[in-house]
Structure formats: structure tokens, C-alpha cells
Amino acid sequence: MKEFVQHLDNTVPAQLSALNLPGCALALIENSEVSHLRCYGYADVKAQTPLSERSMFQIASISKSLTAWGIMKLVEAGKLDLDAPIDTYLTRWHLPPSKYDAAAVTPRLLLMHFGGTSLSGCGGTLYDGTWYTVDDILYGRTPSLDDRQLEYCLKWGLDPDPYGKPVHLLHEPGTVCEYSGGGFTILELIIEEITGKTFTEFMSEEILDPLGMPESSFEIRDSQLPLVATPYSDTLEEIPLYRTNGKAAGGMYSTITELARFACAEMDGPNGEASGRGVLTPASVAEMHRPDRYAETEMGLDFYAGLGHYVIDLGDVRAVQHTGGNPGWRTVYTIVPEKKLGFVCLINSAGGNDLWMDLIQQWSARFMQQ
């Protein structure tokens, strides 16, 4: 792996320049431990502030994998049944009437994007703007956009779809894979209804802090703002910092160090530690990683659906993965549990997909030769 890391040191800075990217943070995992951390380029180009291991990133839809841990925590406590109708746990909101059977929507189906629910992404608002709650999103109480706001969404890649539209059923539950941040917003509400806590509080207390991720949060703290990397467009234009209103779907912030720690916790440890690291049982982790069914989406994502996780084939081995993409952020983590290997990449640019896809192919080609 040292040879590969030297290769990265020699090539990634040039790739950043060629692809017009500000920066990239990488973690490589061997034997379920972080073996190498690298931070290339800048957290802020104008100020020439280098990326560091403390730089904060929006991890975007990787948030869904953490949310799955929160759901499984409630399953282990006997407070939630993955296969019960979601209305078993809801009082503040219910799916609107439709021609489809709302009673067939379960937490399991929502975790796999087979719930039939609408709303691919949950949209964002400027950091110093109005924060819309989970109830606002589900009821469609986010405001309709005027022409100026619509132009802003299109310029920065924000999804205009969430505004003014309640979450509803698009398909018969269980029949179609429809990538749905709205489904994860329902899961966010379920966690709040069952626990009586805010989603942010529950996730910090029950998942993030016990995993050794104290800086990570579904709500960035004001004191952390100086550590947040500047997000950029694919033309290296600064994007104003915004926050994702659907926290469970895509609102978490983390560092390369702490997200890599999470990736390690999804595998058996180097000294016999069980996956889940005592926060969840190995059986719960295995259930999240189980490829329940094949999923094909209009977004071009093809994967085996786990619970809040993608399960994919890398050559002859099975890997577990999630990717993320918010305006100004591109993220990915991939683990190979049977080999105790992992790859984590965080990029503060909307144009980062080409880089992480190339790097992960190089990485997987290396370990498959071992």
C-alpha cells in the first residue's frame, strides 16, 4: 500500500489542477484500521488555506448510512419493527391518500429506496436563512420558488423539487426502486417520534459519540464554521454555504478522520473487535449490508439494496458503499469487509466525481492483485 500512497502523492495534485478542483481528502483502510490519511489542495482557494484532517465536509447522502445505524439502534432496543407499517410510529404526519397502499410502506422499504415515496433530494437553504423542519418537508410547507430563486437553484445544482410539494407515494410500495430523500425524512421523523428527542440529539448521543465521532453532527455548530471547507462549483466558483433541510437524507458534517473511523466500525476490527463496535451488534451490521434485492434507478444508480447502504461487486469480492453529492460536495466511502479494506474520499467541489471514480478504480485494482 505504501507504493500506492506514493503514487497518489505524485498524481493527485496534478489531477486536482487538471480537473479544476480545490481539494481532496483521502483515507485508506487496511486490516480495519486507517493506514494512510492524505489531504491534497485547499479548503479555501482564495485564502490558500490547505485542507487538513480537521477540515469539515458535508458528507451528503452518506448521511443515509449513519441514519440506518440509528434505525437499527431502535430495532435492537425493541422499539421499532423494520417490517411494520410506518404509521405504527407516526402521529405528526401521515402519507397523503393515494391509489397506493400506504400501509405497505415499512422502515425496511424506505431504507432500501423501495418505499415508493417521492422527493429524491431534500433541498437546501443558505446557512443564515430559514431552517425548515422535518415536518415542513413532509407536509410540503417549504415555499414555492419565485423566478429568482429557481434561477439560483439551477445555477448551483439545488433541487427545486422539494419546495411546496408534500412527500407522497409515486409507486406501489416494494415494486420500484425510487431514490428518495423523502423516505429518509420519514425515517428521521420516526426516530424523533419514538425517542422524543431531536434527530440530531439522538444520533449524536446514540451513534456518533459512542463511535468516537464527536466533531461529526447533523447540525454544524457555529464554533465549527471556520473549519468547514469552502464548497465550489465545477468551474471553481465559490458556492455559498447552505444546509440540507433533510438531515437524515444528506445533512451530516464530518471530517476525513471521523468518517474513516465509521467505515472501520462497519467491519470486524484488527484485534478481534466485532463489527458495530458495541454500538450495534454484528447481526445488525450484517443485516444492513445484506443485498436484499437488485436496484436500478432513473438516476443511473445500479446496486444491490442493503439498508441505507449500496452493495456492489468489485471483481470477485462484495463491497459495501455509499456515495454523496450536495452542491459543492462529492463524497464516497467503500469497504470490503472480507478483506478488512476501505477507501474514503471527500471533495469540496461539485466536479469531484471524475476524481473519486478514477481513484477508487485504481485502489480496487491494487487490492484485487493482492
Side-chain angles (χ1 to χ4, degrees):
M1 191 67 78
K2 289 183 179 179
E3 179 185 343
F4 180 57
V5 174
Q6 185 62 55
H7 167 75
L8 294 176
D9 291 342
N10 292 336
T11 61
V12 173
Q15 286 182 279
L16 291 176
S17 178
L19 294 170
N20 217 21
L21 299 175
C24 167
L26 284 170
L28 301 179
I29 296 167
E30 298 177 89
N31 194 28
S32 297
E33 294 182 301
V34 176
S35 59
H36 298 88
L37 280 174
R38 287 293 189 272
C39 297
Y40 304 103
Y42 296 104
D44 188 286
V45 174
K46 184 184 298 183
Q48 296 286 283
T49 305
L51 275 178
S52 76
E53 295 174 10
R54 298 190 65 209
S55 296
M56 303 288 294
F57 293 77
Q58 284 188 18
I59 66 168
S61 284
I62 294 176
S63 305
K64 294 177 174 70
S65 297
L66 277 298
T67 298
W69 275 58
I71 290 292
M72 296 306 293
K73 189 73 174 177
L74 296 179
V75 171
E76 289 187 2
K79 297 179 179 179
L80 185 145
D81 182 341
L82 285 174
D83 299 306
I86 58 172
D87 260 4
T88 305
Y89 309 104
L90 296 174
T91 62
R92 285 159 42 188
W93 172 88
H94 302 280
L95 277 164
S98 74
K99 63 181 180 179
Y100 303 114
D101 181 12
V105 182
T106 65
R108 184 186 301 277
L109 290 177
L110 294 179
L111 285 165
M112 296 192 301
H113 299 289
F114 274 87
T117 49
S118 65
L119 198 59
S120 60
C122 293
T125 51
L126 293 176
Y127 182 79
D128 56 358
T130 302
W131 178 275
Y132 294 102
T133 67
V134 60
D135 303 71
D136 290 333
I137 296 168
L138 293 171
Y139 277 108
R141 294 197 295 244
T142 51
S144 297
L145 301 182
D146 58 30
D147 290 343
R148 181 187 62 81
Q149 292 169 322
L150 181 59
E151 181 181 357
Y152 179 88
C153 281
L154 294 175
K155 177 179 179 180
W156 297 116
L158 294 167
D159 182 4
D161 180 63
Y163 297 90
K165 297 180 181 180
V167 173
H168 57 280
L169 286 176
L170 297 173
H171 310 285
E172 185 64 37
T175 63
V176 176
C177 181
E178 179 81 27
Y179 192 86
S180 177
F184 274 77
T185 303
I186 296 171
L187 294 169
E188 181 178 335
L189 178 60
I190 286 174
I191 287 174
E192 292 193 349
E193 294 256 41
I194 290 176
T195 66
K197 298 179 179 181
T198 69
F199 177 75
T200 298
E201 290 171 341
F202 173 80
M203 291 299 296
S204 291
E205 293 172 6
E206 299 295 333
I207 305 298
L208 301 178
D209 289 347
L211 283 176
M213 303 172 66
E215 297 303 312
S216 301
S217 178
F218 283 85
E219 290 184 44
I220 194 73
R221 300 182 285 273
D222 288 344
S223 61
Q224 294 176 304
L225 283 175
L227 296 173
V228 177
T230 300
Y232 291 88
S233 72
D234 57 4
T235 58
L236 208 58
E237 185 178 359
E238 287 188 25
I239 295 178
L241 183 64
Y242 83 102
R243 48 189 176 187
T244 299
N245 291 310
K247 300 171 192 172
M252 186 174 145
Y253 287 80
S254 192
T255 65
I256 188 65
T257 303
E258 292 195 353
L259 190 59
R261 191 170 297 152
F262 166 72
C264 292
E266 292 214 303
M267 300 182 284
D268 291 338
N271 300 305
E273 305 94 332
S275 61
R277 299 298 188 271
V279 178
L280 290 180
T281 65
S284 290
V285 176
E287 182 64 9
M288 289 188 291
H289 293 179
R290 182 174 62 83
D292 187 280
R293 64 190 75 181
Y294 192 68
E296 297 178 272
T297 72
E298 291 183 357
M299 298 172 63
L301 293 171
D302 297 338
F303 54 90
Y304 293 98
L307 303 182
H309 295 74
Y310 307 150
V311 185
I312 61 174
D313 290 323
L314 291 177
D316 295 330
V317 299
R318 182 66 44 95
V320 177
Q321 179 186 77
H322 214 293
T323 60
N326 284 350
W329 310 95
R330 293 294 183 268
T331 61
V332 64
Y333 90 101
T334 300
I335 57 173
V336 185
E338 69 178 79
K339 290 180 174 286
K340 298 186 178 181
L341 294 170
F343 174 95
V344 186
C345 183
L346 304 175
I347 301 171
N348 55 325
S349 169
N353 282 347
D354 286 346
L355 178 61
W356 76 252
M357 288 178 181
D358 177 57
L359 294 178
I360 206 168
Q361 287 176 355
Q362 294 184 45
W363 168 77
S364 61
R366 297 285 177 125
F367 80 69
M368 283 191 290
Q369 293 172 0
Q370 297 176 4

